Amino acid sequence: GMVKGFRTEEIEPEEGKRARAAYFACVDFLDEMLGDFLATMEHAGLLDNTVIIYVSDHGEMAGEHGLWWKNTWHESSSRVPLIMSTPDHRSGKQAATEVTQPTSLADLFPTLCDLAGVPQPEGLDGTSLAPALRGESVPGVDNRVGVITEGITPRWGEGTEFRMIRSERFKYIAFRDCDDLAFNLDNDPDEQVNIAADPEFHEALTPLKTAVMEGFSFDDAETLRKEQNTDLKQRFPAKFKPVTPNQILLGDGRLVEADAPLYQPEVLSDDLSRDLEDWP
């Protein structure tokens, strides 16, 4: 399903090389822009009370495993950078530390609350990483079985919905209607050898398998997803149909697809007050 969805077989090796080179160039360009931005902030004295967090919402397969884009459980897709810098780090008052336990994007909200001195709202899923920035232990992270990534839409065919849990050493992927996968990332960082049914790793993998499905049902998730989508369409009817999940509102009032070049936009609406009933 992924090979078909990613249209892998249409990508010639030379085109794949150009695509990866372009991706690396984008990373280099972003690095340059961030450097300019931070230099401007430093010149204005704004870094003295600013926390900097560099993170991404997902990775990019970039041809690994013969796949492109995202929406998979592979490390290239699900593992992202997470770098935090506080004024104390930059002044030398606090030494840099490295946290090797897997963390989650859900940890960002409580972390920022703590660093900003704002009380955390109740019911948050994440755990504040602020103590780790001071070189202290974080029980909520240290005692975790692992962190979870999920793809609960049947994008690659019926039954391919998955939930993946990642510990420091292992990864376990449970599917709705496919055989489970598991990998020992210490010895197999490229995720080539499935150890889900290997007796040698049964004891290590059992807590992961239990945790990833605890309180979760693929059937219930599918029912809820359909109900919520129907409810949203009924509450917020539109006269246009998005092609991708990502749109952006331009300054001139046009709503366009964000996954296409903005200088040649695919316009979904040039008058949202006309095309959205609830638009002010």
Side-chain angles (χ1 to χ4, degrees), residues 201-230:
F201 298 100
H202 175 76
E203 184 176 351
L205 295 178
T206 296
L208 294 175
K209 183 177 181 179
T210 300
V212 77
M213 295 303 296
E214 184 177 5
F216 178 82
S217 162
F218 282 112
D219 290 343
D220 291 346
E222 174 70 0
T223 298
L224 180 61
R225 182 179 68 85
K226 290 180 177 179
E227 290 176 350
Q228 290 178 336
N229 286 344
T230 299

Side-chain angles (χ1 to χ4, degrees), residues 22-45:
Y23 184 81
F24 297 151
C26 288
V27 173
D28 189 58
F29 181 49
L30 176 62
D31 181 66
E32 182 178 348
M33 288 194 297
L34 289 175
D36 291 344
F37 176 67
L38 294 177
T40 300
M41 291 190 67
E42 183 177 26
H43 181 72

Side-chain angles (χ1 to χ4, degrees), residues 61 64-65 67 72-79 164-166 169-173 181-195:
M61 294 303 292
E64 291 195 31
H65 300 275
L67 302 173
T72 89
W73 56 86
H74 298 94
E75 288 290 276
S76 296
S77 175
S78 61
R79 185 172 182 174
M164 179 270 282
I165 187 168
R166 169 74 151 80
R169 181 183 178 190
F170 295 103
K171 171 185 291 189
Y172 194 96
I173 309 104
L181 296 173
F183 301 100
N184 180 348
L185 298 173
D186 279 353
N187 300 330
D188 181 26
D190 294 328
E191 302 166 275
Q192 299 291 309
V193 181
N194 180 17
I195 61 171

Side-chain angles (χ1 to χ4, degrees), residues 75-168:
E75 288 290 276
S76 296
S77 175
S78 61
R79 185 172 182 174
V80 298
L82 177 56
I83 303 171
M84 300 185 182
S85 173
T86 68
D88 284 349
H89 284 126
R90 295 189 292 276
S91 69
K93 293 180 181 178
Q94 179 64 53
T97 57
E98 180 182 7
V99 177
T100 59
Q101 295 94 331
T103 57
S104 167
L105 294 180
D107 298 329
L108 290 180
F109 190 3
T111 300
L112 287 169
C113 286
D114 278 1
L115 293 177
V118 176
Q120 295 183 32
E122 295 182 2
L124 295 181
D125 290 330
T127 299
S128 173
L129 304 175
L133 297 179
R134 301 188 293 268
E136 302 170 7
S137 64
V138 186
V141 172
D142 296 341
N143 298 330
R144 278 177 178 163
V145 177
V147 295
I148 292 176
T149 296
E150 62 184 10
I152 54 176
T153 59
R155 180 169 185 176
W156 312 121
E158 293 298 325
T160 60
E161 301 97 311
F162 70 88
R163 273 169 68 89
M164 179 270 282
I165 187 168
R166 169 74 151 80
S167 69
E168 190 169 0

